[in-house]
Amino acid sequence: RRYGDDYRVVCESSAEAGLAELEALRAQGERVALVLADVWMAERPGSDVLNRVRSLHPHAKRALLIDWGAWGHRPTADSILHAMATGRIDYYVLKPVRSGDEQFHRMIAEFLHEWSREHSPDAFELAVVADPGSPRTHDLRDLLRRSGVPHGFYNTDSTEGRALCEDADIEP
């Protein structure tokens, strides 16, 4: 109910069904903002699913769903730490324990806010169009990030980058 106006929310009952849906979304050119997977699923661990999501939708935020107190279960803690260290997940989220669980929704809202700031062309007053490998680009993006300036970054070779340059009547 909270996210349906701005996002299409898809729930699947298995890892394989979820991955099939994510593959279909990729084939359709759809952008995916966030994928949640249970840390322990019947077919495979959630970190394996989210690792596959990383290749299907590299810009999607990825989080493991865990039960409250799961950090005390050594295999779960090891799985979370390994997934974080290897970049399979962005973070973990405690499963909601009751309807309207505000801690759960705060985490989801933070993920979605971060994703939309990074990937919505209309979300920024400042757009940087540059070569991502340039040292000057790195310096500029670092300065903007450290200063807390919301900005979008677009590669000069990307469709969005070329369109922004054309709108500003400048050469990429």
Side-chain angles (χ1 to χ4, degrees):
R1 290 187 311 257
R2 292 186 187 204
Y3 310 105
D5 289 344
D6 298 314
Y7 299 92
R8 182 168 51 143
V9 179
V10 178
C11 300
E12 295 293 345
S13 59
S14 72
E16 299 311 318
L19 287 171
E21 178 67 22
L22 289 162
E23 287 170 0
L25 290 170
R26 179 181 178 166
Q28 296 165 14
E30 295 284 335
R31 297 186 315 161
V32 173
L34 173 63
V35 178
L36 303 173
D38 197 296
V39 67
W40 302 117
M41 292 187 278
E43 298 122 332
R44 60 169 92 182
S47 62
D48 288 355
V49 172
L50 295 175
N51 192 45
R52 177 75 179 119
V53 170
R54 181 171 58 173
S55 63
L56 289 171
H57 298 280
H59 301 293
K61 298 298 178 188
R62 300 172 316 277
L64 283 175
L65 286 167
I66 66 168
D67 290 319
W68 190 91
W71 275 104
H73 180 244
R74 191 73 205 161
T76 299
D78 289 344
S79 179
I80 295 167
L81 292 171
H82 181 263
M84 284 179 166
T86 57
R88 291 175 173 222
I89 65 172
D90 293 299
Y91 207 58
Y92 66 92
V93 177
L94 295 176
K95 291 179 188 177
V97 293
R98 63 189 175 290
S99 180
D101 188 320
E102 294 307 316
Q103 182 173 349
F104 172 80
H105 290 292
R106 182 180 56 83
M107 291 296 298
I108 300 307
E110 286 178 15
F111 277 129
L112 294 174
H113 176 70
E114 186 177 319
W115 181 85
S116 67
R117 283 188 60 190
E118 293 172 0
H119 302 289
S120 292
D122 302 331
F124 308 106
E125 292 183 27
L126 175 65
V128 177
V129 180
D131 173 8
S134 162
R136 178 77 175 128
T137 300
H138 175 75
D139 291 345
L140 179 59
R141 291 183 74 191
D142 184 54
L143 174 67
L144 292 170
R145 233 184 266 116
R146 285 184 292 113
S147 300
V149 176
H151 64 283
F153 175 78
Y154 306 93
N155 189 324
T156 52
D157 294 334
S158 71
T159 303
E160 297 90 351
R162 287 191 300 272
L164 286 166
C165 287
E166 186 177 302
D167 289 347
D169 197 29
I170 59 174
E171 291 294 318

